[in-house]
Amino acid sequence: MSGDFTVLPGYIIGGGKLITLDEIRKKVESLGTVTKTAGSSFRLVPHNESGSDILDFDDMYPTVYFNADYSVDFYVSNLKYERVVSFIEKLADVLGVPIDYTELGNQSPDPEEEQKKIEKFLEEFGGYYGRGKKQNNVP
């Protein structure tokens, strides 16, 4: 293992409004080991998909740092990009809110697009925990 890491930045859309850091932490505990980092931030080291204790890069997911501003950093090392994207989608399903992320080689998420994505998410999936957009008074 070379120790070379690529950090893939992202952002939890609706973080702070639709889901808190405490709720995020509780929900992601089912995906792996959660440890506290600086301040209110924390890290998730996901279980490998095979369920074995042997770490095999073919079935591993990225380590994720959840920051106080609802940004996330996916630490990718020797992982296939498809596996990283698959995990981000799985994480969004567990949290119940979308996650915007930078594709490798591209710029950080656009804040203006963020609002459009949350509106689309709320309309398509019935909003936070299945309640409609109008019931939550979400603009």
Side-chain angles (χ1 to χ4, degrees):
M1 188 159 75
S2 66
D4 292 332
F5 288 96
T6 298
V7 178
L8 190 67
Y11 186 77
I12 298 172
I13 298 175
K17 295 178 184 176
L18 300 178
I19 191 166
T20 66
L21 279 178
D22 289 336
E23 290 172 322
I24 291 168
R25 186 178 182 135
K26 288 176 187 169
K27 288 184 176 196
V28 300
E29 286 176 348
S30 66
L31 298 175
T33 304
V34 177
T35 57
K36 186 167 176 37
T37 58
S40 59
S41 302
F42 58 94
R43 174 181 64 201
L44 167 66
V45 179
H47 299 300
N48 59 337
E49 191 172 75
S50 69
S52 69
D53 290 335
I54 299 169
L55 296 179
D56 181 355
F57 283 106
D58 288 338
D59 61 14
M60 285 181 61
Y61 288 125
T63 297
V64 184
Y65 285 81
F66 294 86
N67 304 306
D69 64 355
Y70 296 96
S71 64
V72 289
D73 297 311
F74 299 93
Y75 280 74
V76 182
S77 176
N78 300 325
L79 299 176
K80 294 179 183 174
Y81 185 66
E82 295 80 26
R83 298 287 296 154
V84 174
V85 171
S86 169
F87 181 73
I88 293 171
E89 291 169 355
K90 183 177 182 176
L91 183 59
D93 287 343
V94 167
L95 296 178
V97 292
I99 297 174
D100 199 1
Y101 60 94
T102 301
E103 294 187 22
L104 290 176
N106 289 336
Q107 297 176 356
S108 297
D110 180 7
E112 291 180 10
E113 289 296 315
E114 205 174 286
Q115 183 66 32
K116 291 177 187 175
K117 287 183 182 183
I118 192 68
E119 287 175 2
K120 182 178 178 184
F121 179 82
L122 291 171
E123 287 173 12
E124 289 180 7
F125 299 105
Y128 186 57
Y129 293 126
R131 295 188 297 262
K133 180 174 158 179
K134 291 179 183 175
Q135 293 172 342
N136 286 319
N137 295 322
V138 175

